[in-house]
Amino acid sequence: MRKHFCLLVLILISAFNVKAAPGDTTWVQAQNGIWMPNYGDYDSTVTFPSGATSYRRVFMYFTLGKYSCPGNPQYCSDWDYTVQTYIMTPAGDTFELGRLITPYANSARMNASWKGVYSFDVTDFYPILKNNGTVRVHFSGYSGGFTADVKFAFIEGTPARNVLGVTRVWKNSYDYGHGTPINTALSNVSLSAPANAQTAEAKFTITGHGGDAQGCAEFCPNTYTMNLNNQQLVQQNFWRNNCGSNNYYPQNGTWVYDRAGWCPGDKVLPYSHLLSGITGGSNYTLNVTFPAYSSVPNNGSQASYTIESEVVYYGGFNKTLDASVEDIIAPTNDQAHFRMNPLVGKPVIKVKNTSSTTITSLKIEYGVVGNPLGTYTWTGTLNALNETEISLPEPWSLRMATGNNNQFIARIVEANGQADEDASNNELISTFTAAPKWDVNLRITMKTNKSAISSGESETSWKIYDGNDNVVAQRINNKTDTTYTDTITLGPAVYRLEVSDAGCDGVNWWVYPYYPQNPGVGFIQVRSLTSPALKNMTGYYNGDFGCGFTQYFRTDWTTDVEDIDQQKVAINAYPNPAAKSVTVSLSGINDIKGRLQILDAVGKIVLETEAKAQNTIDVSQLSNGLYTVVFASENNKRLQTRLVIAK
């Protein structure tokens, strides 16, 4: 049953970040690329580990793919269908392990070979994921075109807490506004905690489907209230208001419309609610209520909420001080972070406190594999079991990366000034594609469509940010149905172009002809001043980008000086790294006329002087970091080299 991790990583590494080191992960294959042509259940019998080995994490990876439907069906991978994955034990227990909604998958991005990987942390179900069981994929679609592949990764080690038991509370599709009142169906359930439980959490997964004249349940915002011992525990709003920012886009359907608990093409995650005061041996009741509602019209409404809920009981913390690298958000080729990549600039990682002690500092080592790694010390407050995203200073190796198969590593070295208790969860590696190199002189042309915000201005705008999040160029507060052309001059640095649309429907969407007033089609184009060729923008998709997209890029000046033998020209800076002063020498230039400049990481000139063959420059006031030393001649030709300041 144990599979060698390195063999599988060749298949999986392009889809998601490596979450374990070679040799400590057991893989279990369930469904293996099966076709789902019809509504129904698709079962696979599996053998999980026996439980003799301790596992710190268990992940389920659901790979949704496509196949070409035989014949000429009216629909093939065209609709947003609910897909639920269950584990069924020989004892008769059934639990939902994960839920996703298929995308409207006939689009420019989702061709016949498209695959989307959805990862689910199913560690809470480890007491059930043992020995023999049946994995069921339930497909709610009435037309085919999708495939399902389900794998489990059991990562050896000590979990943050031992799971002592899992009890299912509710599982069904419950009518809303008609039929049996949902508040009756979700009335009090009596439960009892295991004798040695220290905490308990209720998990609640909900998606709204069907509707009436008011759009309920799929298209109406709503909340549920969970009551513990008939006292309100939490009131949860489960409306998804960010479908137009979905990472799996563009789609051929109404993917930008917000919905009750889900978005087309995205996974559905449970809400988690701590059951305050519930410990070992506690007897208690749970119920859930919804606002009173009567369907309009009642006759024929199919509105319902699909709900799965369970209570998970935990023991105490197994570690006093431990932190985990949970994810590399950028740079990565993981499609779950498509809108953040390909990145150049500041990497972003997610870390979690997997111990009982509040973490106030983390020393992190990171960079592009094969290059010297940098270190960064994060400070803040990270309470037990909480997560946070950390933006790391730009590593020079990321700016210099090229091609598609680079690797980025992030590793926790210290927590609270010392080594933490578990090194096995301290490191992740991602595979990433390097961001493009663009010219310093760009021309951006934008045509707005007729869609306007309440003030009458266009919904669409763009901004360019440097590596320190300063806006260096922008086109905002625009008129509708207007073409703008802007010429931008940048320094050699890293940047991101952010295009946003307040209506979350891009500037070119297939639904426009069905609007009460067709807004027409807009566009955004980026060119170099020296070439008519359009720059490729990863998330643009001909204007069908929903709420917006981000394009990261780097710029650089060419290394040339007019009327000079290029083989003899040189610029050198030493010592490098420098602390107090640096000597910059220019050779191969007969008549040196120009300025010597030192630019920071975002292209800002921080020091400047008249250039000579030998130049000694005081850099004692500069902060540690990466700089560019530039000789700018009078005829605007340049030589440059890199300089590191380290004190």
Side-chain angles (χ1 to χ4, degrees):
M1 179 177 59
R2 183 190 251 331
K3 313 281 177 120
H4 197 278
F5 181 76
C6 290
L7 295 178
L8 278 162
V9 84
L10 295 176
I11 302 171
L12 301 172
I13 194 169
S14 64
F16 49 84
N17 296 330
V18 180
K19 297 184 183 299
D24 67 357
T25 298
T26 297
W27 290 89
V28 176
Q29 179 78 58
Q31 285 76 6
N32 190 359
I34 61 169
W35 287 21
M36 299 185 293
N38 306 107
Y39 179 98
D41 298 324
Y42 298 85
D43 294 352
S44 176
T45 301
V46 298
T47 301
F48 294 111
S50 65
T53 302
S54 175
Y55 296 100
R56 63 176 175 85
R57 301 292 286 276
V58 184
F59 291 94
M60 180 180 75
Y61 296 101
F62 190 112
T63 301
L64 183 72
K66 291 178 61 177
Y67 67 88
S68 298
C69 299
N72 188 25
Q74 183 177 6
Y75 302 110
C76 181
S77 61
D78 267 338
W79 291 93
D80 49 343
Y81 295 127
T82 304
V83 181
Q84 297 166 276
T85 304
Y86 298 96
I87 177 63
M88 301 185 296
T89 70
D93 296 322
T94 301
F95 293 89
E96 184 179 356
L97 299 177
R99 186 183 308 179
L100 62 91
I101 311 296
T102 64
Y104 299 92
N106 278 328
S107 70
R109 180 177 171 195
M110 299 174 190
N111 54 32
S113 62
W114 173 82
K115 294 185 183 300
V117 180
Y118 300 83
S119 63
F120 298 88
D121 186 342
V122 295
T123 308
D124 285 344
F125 296 98
Y126 177 54
I128 301 159
L129 300 175
K130 296 179 181 179
N131 301 312
N132 297 325
T134 298
V135 175
R136 167 169 291 175
V137 173
H138 176 71
F139 179 62
S140 72
Y142 287 91
S143 59
F146 291 106
T147 64
D149 188 283
V150 181
K151 293 182 179 73
F152 294 85
F154 291 78
I155 304 173
E156 292 182 15
T158 303
R161 300 173 294 176
N162 293 332
V163 177
L164 304 180
V166 186
T167 300
R168 169 184 270 178
V169 184
W170 296 287
K171 182 242 177 289
N172 215 327
S173 288
Y174 300 93
D175 295 338
Y176 189 59
H178 64 100
T180 301
I182 193 170
N183 292 344
T184 300
L186 302 179
S187 58
N188 271 337
V189 175
S190 297
L191 300 164
S192 181
N196 51 350
Q198 294 197 18
T199 55
E201 293 180 16
K203 313 290 185 178
F204 199 84
T205 306
I206 180 170
T207 50
H209 304 274
D212 57 18
Q214 296 182 181
C216 290
E218 180 175 350
F219 290 110
C220 66
N222 209 348
T223 62
Y224 68 81
T225 300
M226 181 172 288
N227 301 292
L228 173 62
N229 294 326
N230 294 315
Q231 298 294 318
Q232 179 175 318
L233 177 70
V234 64
Q235 187 175 76
Q236 180 66 56
N237 182 336
F238 56 91
W239 179 248
R240 282 290 300 270
N241 63 357
N242 58 351
C243 290
S245 297
N246 195 340
N247 281 286
Y248 287 107
Y249 81 96
Q251 301 176 30
N252 61 297
T254 57
W255 64 279
V256 305
Y257 292 162
D258 298 332
R259 291 168 167 86
W262 59 279
C263 297
D266 206 357
K267 63 182 179 180
V268 180
L269 293 178
Y271 295 97
S272 184
H273 307 301
L274 177 66
L275 301 183
S276 304
I278 303 302
T279 57
S282 296
N283 296 313
Y284 61 99
T285 63
L286 281 181
N287 70 69
V288 170
T289 59
F290 288 77
Y293 180 75
S294 179
S295 180
V296 182
N298 192 319
N299 185 25
S301 174
Q302 298 179 354
S304 66
Y305 288 115
T306 300
I307 292 171
E308 170 82 15
S309 180
E310 56 275 330
V311 175
V312 183
Y313 301 99
Y314 302 95
F317 284 96
N318 291 321
K319 305 163 192 174
T320 303
L321 179 63
D322 185 61
S324 170
V325 181
E326 295 290 291
D327 200 4
I328 297 174
I329 297 172
T332 181
N333 289 339
D334 186 344
Q335 291 187 68
H337 304 306
F338 179 79
R339 287 183 178 271
M340 278 285 291
N341 290 279
L343 174 134
V344 65
K346 298 178 180 180
V348 181
I349 65 173
K350 180 185 291 185
V351 299
K352 183 176 183 178
N353 183 351
T354 50
S355 63
S356 59
T357 301
T358 297
I359 293 175
T360 56
S361 68
L362 289 169
K363 185 177 180 181
I364 300 166
E365 193 174 57
Y366 66 98
V368 178
V369 174
N371 294 270
L373 301 183
T375 59
Y376 172 71
T377 300
W378 168 87
T379 58
T381 300
L382 188 59
N383 294 321
L385 301 178
N386 283 1
E387 297 178 336
T388 190
E389 292 182 6
I390 296 177
S391 179
L392 302 167
E394 179 201 355
W396 191 257
S397 56
L398 182 57
R399 189 183 298 198
M400 294 296 100
T402 59
N404 301 322
N405 295 309
N406 307 283
Q407 289 189 313
F408 180 86
I409 187 171
R411 179 189 302 126
I412 294 173
V413 179
E414 293 179 354
N416 290 355
Q418 59 185 299
D420 67 5
E421 296 176 32
D422 187 354
S424 69
N425 59 7
N426 284 355
E427 177 181 305
L428 277 185
I429 297 175
S430 67
T431 297
F432 72 93
T433 297
K437 177 183 175 182
W438 286 2
D439 299 334
V440 292
N441 297 309
L442 300 171
R443 178 175 289 117
I444 301 179
T445 303
M446 178 177 71
K447 181 186 183 301
T448 61
N449 60 22
K450 297 176 184 177
S451 295
I453 58 178
S454 59
S455 63
E457 296 171 347
S458 170
E459 293 178 342
T460 313
S461 61
W462 61 259
K463 294 181 180 181
I464 295 179
Y465 295 83
D466 64 20
N468 287 335
D469 298 323
N470 301 306
V471 176
V472 297
Q474 62 183 356
R475 169 59 64 186
I476 61 174
N477 303 325
N478 306 309
K479 297 179 180 179
T480 60
D481 198 22
T482 303
T483 299
Y484 297 92
T485 298
D486 294 278
T487 300
I488 312 299
T489 299
L490 304 169
V494 297
Y495 300 94
R496 72 181 189 272
L497 167 66
E498 288 192 1
V499 178
S500 61
D501 188 84
C504 281
D505 55 2
V507 294
N508 183 9
W509 192 30
W510 70 270
V511 180
Y512 286 169
Y514 303 95
Y515 278 21
Q517 290 184 333
N518 187 343
V521 172
F523 63 81
I524 298 168
Q525 299 173 341
V526 180
R527 294 180 174 88
S528 166
L529 293 187
T530 58
S531 171
L534 294 178
K535 299 292 185 184
N536 178 57
M537 294 183 288
T538 303
Y540 176 56
Y541 288 110
N542 199 33
D544 189 4
F545 50 74
C547 295
F549 71 94
T550 299
Q551 176 67 55
Y552 289 87
F553 63 96
R554 63 185 178 95
T555 60
D556 211 348
W557 284 323
T558 56
T559 304
D560 63 347
V561 176
E562 194 173 21
D563 299 328
I564 300 176
D565 183 347
Q566 295 293 311
Q567 301 300 316
K568 296 180 181 179
V569 170
I571 180 172
N572 292 292
Y574 55 90
N576 199 354
K580 295 182 179 180
S581 66
V582 62
T583 298
V584 179
S585 64
L586 299 170
S587 58
I589 306 174
N590 294 328
D591 187 13
I592 298 175
K593 293 181 180 180
R595 306 288 292 175
L596 202 62
Q597 301 167 337
I598 297 182
L599 285 68
D600 65 13
V602 298
K604 179 182 177 181
I605 299 174
V606 293
L607 286 174
E608 186 174 20
T609 185
E610 194 75 23
K612 300 179 294 184
Q614 292 285 115
N615 308 266
T616 299
I617 303 173
D618 181 2
V619 294
S620 60
Q621 300 303 310
L622 297 183
S623 301
N624 289 350
L626 298 168
Y627 294 84
T628 303
V629 181
V630 178
F631 167 61
S633 70
E634 288 185 344
N635 53 12
N636 205 32
K637 298 296 181 178
R638 292 175 170 84
L639 287 172
Q640 65 183 55
T641 189
R642 311 301 181 193
L643 173 66
V644 177
I645 303 296
K647 302 173 184 177

